[in-house]
Amino acid sequence: MDRLQTAIAEARAARDAILAGRVAAATDQEAPISRKVAPAASRTVEEAWAALPRFEPEAEHLADKRVVTRQGGARSAPFDVLRTRTLQQMKAQGWSRLAVTSPGPGCGKSTVTMNLAFSLARQTDIRTVVLDLDLRRPMLASILGLQARHEITAAIRGTAEPGAQMTRVGENLAFATTRTPVHDPAELLQGRRIGKLLERIEAQFAPDVIVFDLPPVMVSDDAIAFLPNADCALMIAAAEQSTLGQVDACEKELAQQTNVLGVVLNKCGHPGDYHHYGYGYAETA
Ligand SMILES: Nc1ncnc2c1ncn2[C@@H]1O[C@H](COP(=O)(O)OP(=O)(O)O)[C@@H](O)[C@H]1O
Ligand SMILES: [Mg+2]
């Protein structure tokens, strides 16, 4: 943990100037990206949410997949802290689009995304939409236990309405999932089509937060292709799996593309109240 903190501090120092420039540029804009689309009237937004198919995940299935935040309590507490800090930073900047990524695969992006999503959903005054954009290894449907044959790729290509590929869990949380892996998704993740999809989701569902479960940064250019669409990012590093060099390189790469909110150290297995799922968080901004 100490060595990771040192690496984070070094990476932070190295890219402070870049980040300061990006934050200044973001705050200088007339409005954040996500506010450029006029939201629909609130009754229409409520109707759009009401029209989404509902799904109730099984508690045991979620627990098997290490999703522990559906209810509050000791196990969800660290994710609730992550949620609150993330929300505070995002609100302060007027940001709503949060990317979750990591240096390599298997660090826990999807697991953290789901825990963050259910923690956000316990705040009843905000709406959250989660998009599975790890198109080579989409996992969110499987983590939810969702059988629906939703394909977010159809919504990206514009051949289906966004709402037709989405599922609602509870009142204020929706997932756009996909099942069929795509072998070369970079062209789907960059450019106008994905931007248009995000604008449509924002206009129809008026989410306060959109979370993107992205591919890893150091394996392909998929995440980098998408990141200009995000306002900010969290990096998930896996202790005993992500090397310091990978964390450092990933953070530098992320900082070139977006605002890095922090690094979540997953699978750290440190002793203490939360050792069940080993979790730590370091702010980089
Ligand atoms: N804190 C943790 N401790 C132990 N296993 C974990 C932890 N977080 C995630 N996992 C497991 O690691 C595997 C990869 O996690 P996943 O979230 O799918 O990673 P990614 O989305 O980054 O590829 C899954 O089997 C998941 O259950
Ligand atoms: Mg994943």
Side-chain angles (χ1 to χ4, degrees):
M1 185 67 183
D2 287 348
R3 293 178 66 215
L4 180 65
Q5 294 284 12
T6 307
I8 290 166
E10 285 171 6
R12 180 190 308 151
R15 59 102 176 105
D16 261 358
I18 300 169
L19 184 60
R22 286 187 65 86
V23 171
T27 49
D28 283 351
Q29 288 169 5
E30 278 179 20
I33 302 167
S34 52
R35 301 240 176 113
K36 284 178 185 159
V37 179
S42 62
R43 199 166 64 89
T44 319
V45 169
E46 276 164 28
E47 284 168 4
W49 279 83
L52 293 177
R54 294 186 76 128
F55 177 71
E56 184 53 37
E58 285 178 16
E60 206 172 307
H61 180 81
L62 289 182
D64 278 354
K65 300 291 182 183
R66 299 178 181 274
V67 179
V68 296
T69 53
R70 190 91 202 265
Q71 271 85 40
R75 298 196 78 198
S76 72
F79 288 105
D80 296 347
V81 172
L82 176 66
R83 168 201 65 195
T84 302
R85 288 190 184 178
T86 302
L87 274 180
Q88 279 172 350
Q89 291 185 70
M90 292 178 72
K91 273 186 187 161
Q93 301 290 349
W95 293 334
S96 62
R97 298 178 176 187
L98 172 68
V100 177
T101 187
S102 61
C107 293
K109 293 177 296 299
S110 301
T111 309
V112 172
T113 295
M114 294 300 266
N115 279 297
L116 190 56
F118 282 111
S119 179
L120 283 162
R122 296 204 334 275
Q123 299 225 319
T124 52
D125 58 335
I126 62 170
R127 295 191 188 97
T128 302
V129 173
V130 182
L131 271 56
D132 193 342
L133 294 181
D134 193 352
L135 299 178
R136 293 175 204 250
R137 284 188 68 211
M139 290 301 291
L140 297 190
S142 147
I143 293 174
L144 276 173
L146 181 67
Q147 298 300 321
R149 305 295 310 175
H150 290 161
E151 301 286 356
I152 197 175
T153 45
I156 300 173
R157 292 193 172 99
T159 57
E161 280 296 311
Q165 309 303 320
M166 290 165 66
T167 308
R168 178 157 65 109
V169 177
E171 298 308 309
N172 58 344
L173 174 63
F175 294 91
T177 55
T178 198
R179 285 196 167 271
T180 312
V182 176
H183 296 298
D184 187 14
E187 53 108 13
L188 286 176
L189 292 173
Q190 67 189 345
R192 291 187 56 225
R193 287 191 297 190
I194 188 81
K196 286 266 170 235
L197 173 63
L198 300 184
E199 286 173 8
R200 294 188 73 184
I201 290 174
E202 282 164 350
Q204 290 178 25
F205 298 96
D208 299 278
V209 182
I210 309 190
V211 186
F212 310 110
D213 184 13
L214 286 192
V217 167
M218 313 306 287
V219 175
S220 70
D221 61 347
D222 300 353
I224 299 299
F226 176 79
L227 279 169
N229 291 291
D231 294 326
C232 51
L234 282 173
M235 189 208 313
I236 315 302
E240 300 178 16
Q241 183 176 331
S242 311
T243 66
L244 290 177
Q246 287 170 345
V247 170
D248 191 19
C250 179
E251 200 196 14
K252 283 184 177 138
E253 190 74 58
L254 282 179
Q256 305 261 353
Q257 306 290 334
T258 190
N259 301 288
V260 186
L261 294 185
V263 179
V264 174
L265 183 60
N266 191 30
K267 303 188 179 182
C268 49
H270 57 77
D273 288 345
Y274 308 127
H275 69 278
H276 301 293
Y277 47 93
Y279 163 87
Y281 177 64
E283 284 182 21
T284 62

